[in-house]
């Protein structure tokens, strides 16, 4: 039977069926068959971002650990500010212009953030906050932004899933107000699932590899303020994400992980390790013995007479606590690289956590040879010159010995905060 005669026969039997048959038979007058709209089926929506990265989980029997509540996921991601991408063309000279454009990078960055479906998202080098907020709002995130002072156009942003996290307090640090350059940091206090509370910090530390004194001062201040907020809310756990512009073999990393440092044992110009990473082209001659000035000592330690600097937290770095792929990890257990462009290949991004939290898994970074093959980031698949760090955490049951601070003398620390500006 011909298609049109069949159509006529069906039309008389069932008008609905006939309309569908008409569409199939190519009858342009009939409405086309309509499927249900599923936004997640749209091209690329649900596929993991490329290149493929594996999850690594904590070892050991989970049932033995004293976790409470559901786990939650955090992303820390330096997204490469539009202005920095434009102003530092020399770092990206080999990257095609169309890849560097914000409009092409924005889609990759937002898709990646949304794909991991994290509960907390800490971004650095954000100068197009509104562009990102639009996407995040659609996925039921709320956000807040702290821009850098001075001429800089970028800043830090934190987004959180409103269904799980309720904002209790918001604080930001403008380091220029205490003479430590125009970088910024954010500290937020959340109630999670109406059961636990948490301090979340986000920082983008000064880049200048020579100014270890300022970098150390910024980080010291960030940790002191996080500690003070934690104590204010009854010693709640702390999560600190960001681009610390310091490498894992540096004195600044040692300060973060061991809570103390004697700066007289180090050269200010080498304090952040940015001069001797995989191929840091920021090396400085070190044949002259470096002497700290009083101002530099005060920037670093908070006191011009003290060369010893301490912080009050017990911190662990999430990637270093989870064993990963030998091809992606260095001697400290940190990723070999979280950032790559024509002048730098190395690790500067971290997610630190205090007691009261346990890191359950991390999203692996990429091997050096995979990164080198790209010739430099960003690429047409990766929107920034940094990789997004993603880690999953659980709250642990509090024990007598387990509080986020290494000392319990809050009065002493409050004095340090007020004096060390
Ligand atoms: O290292 V970064 O890149 O965390 O990804 O942070 C800073 C640097 C960012 C904000 O200031 O801009 C980049 N050489 C290389 N990179 C630079 C320079 C520079 N002279 N100045 C700023 N950045």
């Amino acid at each position: 039977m011909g298609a049109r005669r069949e159509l006529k026969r069906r039309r008389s039997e069932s008008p609905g069926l006939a309309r569908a048959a008409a569409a199939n038979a190519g009858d342009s007058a009939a409405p086309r068959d309509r499927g249900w709209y599923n936004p997640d089926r749209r091209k690329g929506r649900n596929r993991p971002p490329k290149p493929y990265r594996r999850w690594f989980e904590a070892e050991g029997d989970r049932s033995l650990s004293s976790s409470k509540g559901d786990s939650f996921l955090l992303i820390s991601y330096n997204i490469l500010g539009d202005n920095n991408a434009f102003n530092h063309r020399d770092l990206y000279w080999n990257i095609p212009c169309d890849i560097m454009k914000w409009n092409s990078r924005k889609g990759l960055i937002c898709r990646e953030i949304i794909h991991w479906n994290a509960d907390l998202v800490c971004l650095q080098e954000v100068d197009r906050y509104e562009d990102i907020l639009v996407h995040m709002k659609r996925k039921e995130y709320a956000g807040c932004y702290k821009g850098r002072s001075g001429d800089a156009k970028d800043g830090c942003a934190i987004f959180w899933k409103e269904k799980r996290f309720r904002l209790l307090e918001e604080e930001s640090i403008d380091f220029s107000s205490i003479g430590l350059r125009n970088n910024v940091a954010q500290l937020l206090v959340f109630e999670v699932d109406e059961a636990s509370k948490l301090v979340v910090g986000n920082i983008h530390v000064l880049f200048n590899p020579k100014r270890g004194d300022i970098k150390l001062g910024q980080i010291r201040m960030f940790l002191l303020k996080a500690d003070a907020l934690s104590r204010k809310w009854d010693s709640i756990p702390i999560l600190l994400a960001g681009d610390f512009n310091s490498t894992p073999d540096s004195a600044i990393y040692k300060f973060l992980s061991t809570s103390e440092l004697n700066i007289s044992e180090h050269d200010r110009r080498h304090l952040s390790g940015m001069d001797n990473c995989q191929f840091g082209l920021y090396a400085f001659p070190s044949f002259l013995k470096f002497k700290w000035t009083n101002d530099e000592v005060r920037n670093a330690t908070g006191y011009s007479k003290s060369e010893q600097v301490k912080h009050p937290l017990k911190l662990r770095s999430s990637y270093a606590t989870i064993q990963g792929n030998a091809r992606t990890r260095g001697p400290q257990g940190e990723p070999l690289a979280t950032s790559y462009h024509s002048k730098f290949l190395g690790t500067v991004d971290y997610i630190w956590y205090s007691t009261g939290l346990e890191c359950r898994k991390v999203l692996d970074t990429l091997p050096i040879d995979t990164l080198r093959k790209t010739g430099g980031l960003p690429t047409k698949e990766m929107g920034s010159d940094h990789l997004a760090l993603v880690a999953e955490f659980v709250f642990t049951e509090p024990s007598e010995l387990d509080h986020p601070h290494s000392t319990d003398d809050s009065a002493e620390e409050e004095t340090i905060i007020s004096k060390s500006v």
Side-chain angles (χ1 to χ4, degrees):
M1 198 188 299
R4 281 186 188 277
R5 277 177 59 200
E6 165 66 5
L7 185 60
K8 211 170 168 186
R9 189 184 65 76
R10 284 206 204 167
R11 202 171 265 165
S12 60
E13 284 170 7
S14 153
L17 269 178
R19 262 198 301 280
N24 292 339
D27 184 346
S28 58
R32 295 219 157 251
D33 194 10
R34 290 163 63 206
W36 286 104
Y37 172 68
N38 176 1
D40 289 338
R41 268 180 48 201
R42 275 167 55 186
K43 198 172 152 239
R45 221 6 107 79
N46 243 354
R47 286 192 220 126
K50 290 183 189 169
Y52 177 71
R53 292 163 64 184
R54 251 182 83 182
W55 286 98
F56 278 91
E57 297 202 19
E59 284 177 354
D61 187 351
R62 279 184 183 186
S63 59
L64 294 177
S65 75
S66 52
S67 64
K68 53 170 187 164
D70 293 333
S71 63
F72 62 92
L73 217 58
L74 177 141
I75 298 183
S76 179
Y77 195 8
N78 177 326
I79 61 168
L80 175 56
D82 188 18
N83 283 281
N84 276 343
F86 183 78
N87 293 338
H88 298 292
R89 273 305 303 176
D90 56 317
L91 306 182
Y92 314 101
W93 61 269
N94 53 343
I95 314 290
C97 281
D98 55 326
I99 286 178
M100 291 306 295
K101 278 192 188 130
W102 173 246
N103 274 347
S104 33
R105 296 195 296 110
K106 176 177 69 179
L108 290 169
I109 289 164
C110 290
R111 212 168 301 142
E112 168 149 26
I113 294 170
I114 284 165
H115 174 82
W116 298 120
N117 196 26
D119 304 282
L120 287 163
V121 179
C122 296
L123 305 182
Q124 306 87 39
E125 247 185 78
V126 178
D127 55 7
R128 300 286 195 141
Y129 176 67
E130 295 299 328
D131 285 11
I132 298 167
L133 185 63
V134 169
H135 288 269
M136 299 303 279
K137 273 188 174 164
R138 278 188 214 137
K139 297 287 172 184
E140 298 178 326
Y141 287 89
C144 73
Y145 174 74
K146 175 69 182 172
R148 291 168 62 184
S149 55
D151 295 336
K153 302 272 187 293
D154 64 303
C156 290
I158 302 182
F159 298 93
W160 61 95
K161 278 258 172 80
E162 277 192 296
K163 272 191 190 143
R164 291 198 66 189
F165 285 67
R166 190 165 73 89
L167 184 65
L168 299 175
E169 188 168 349
E170 180 183 342
E171 193 178 313
S172 56
I173 311 174
D174 176 354
F175 292 106
S176 69
S177 70
I178 48 176
L180 292 174
R181 300 293 175 93
N182 66 346
N183 303 82
V184 290
Q186 300 174 290
L187 287 162
L188 305 187
V189 180
F190 290 107
E191 184 176 57
V192 189
D193 298 334
E194 298 180 2
S196 310
K197 294 188 182 68
L198 174 72
V199 174
V200 178
N202 182 26
I203 189 168
H204 188 188
V205 171
L206 176 76
F207 158 74
N208 190 339
K210 289 186 209 168
R211 299 309 303 266
D213 57 326
I214 306 263
K215 293 186 195 219
L216 184 58
Q218 291 181 347
I219 294 170
R220 173 178 55 80
M221 222 40 221
F222 181 50
L223 304 186
L224 279 174
K225 297 230 179 207
D227 178 65
L229 259 186
S230 159
R231 286 175 192 275
K232 180 176 166 187
W233 289 90
D234 207 12
S235 291
I236 54 177
I238 301 169
L239 252 181
L240 301 173
D243 176 346
F244 289 74
N245 265 319
S246 310
T247 61
D249 57 353
S250 67
I252 287 185
Y253 183 91
K254 188 173 164 232
F255 170 68
L256 278 151
S257 55
T258 65
S259 308
E260 58 187 347
L261 187 74
N262 187 335
I263 59 163
S264 68
E265 294 164 6
H266 302 274
D267 184 323
R268 153 170 76 68
R269 300 163 301 179
H270 304 309
L271 213 59
S272 68
M274 300 275 291
D275 55 318
N276 60 0
C277 60
Q278 277 263 338
F279 72 81
L281 299 183
Y282 305 122
F284 313 111
S286 52
F287 45 84
L288 290 174
K289 177 97 180 88
F290 179 80
K291 184 117 179 42
W292 288 80
T293 67
N294 281 352
D295 280 353
E296 288 161 2
V297 173
R298 196 176 48 249
N299 288 338
T301 70
Y303 299 98
S304 50
K305 300 250 170 340
S306 167
E307 290 173 328
Q308 189 70 29
V309 53
K310 285 189 178 184
H311 75 75
L313 301 175
K314 290 187 230 168
L315 293 176
R316 303 179 83 191
S317 166
S318 49
Y319 277 70
T321 48
I322 307 261
Q323 200 173 356
N325 179 349
R327 290 177 67 214
T328 62
R329 301 297 183 86
Q332 289 80 9
E334 292 292 350
L336 282 166
T338 63
S339 173
Y340 178 38
H341 55 64
S342 67
K343 279 198 178 165
F344 183 79
L345 170 63
T347 292
V348 288
D349 304 280
Y350 306 92
I351 303 171
W352 297 90
Y353 64 98
S354 73
T355 41
L357 291 169
E358 191 177 280
C359 183
R360 280 284 170 85
K361 63 179 189 183
V362 295
L363 182 68
D364 202 11
T365 50
L366 294 170
I368 295 294
D369 56 331
T370 308
L371 286 171
R372 279 194 200 275
K373 267 184 219 147
T374 67
L377 306 183
T379 67
K380 64 179 193 313
E381 287 168 344
M382 301 166 77
S384 170
D385 58 345
H386 288 246
L387 304 182
L389 299 187
V390 192
E392 187 184 271
F393 295 91
V394 281
F395 287 94
T396 53
E397 289 293 350
S399 86
E400 288 276 304
L401 299 170
D402 257 15
H403 51 83
H405 331 284
S406 54
T407 64
D408 205 22
D409 195 345
S410 50
E412 186 193 330
E413 266 122 36
E414 267 162 31
T415 324
I416 296 174
I417 290 186
S418 53
K419 277 188 184 167
S420 61
V421 293

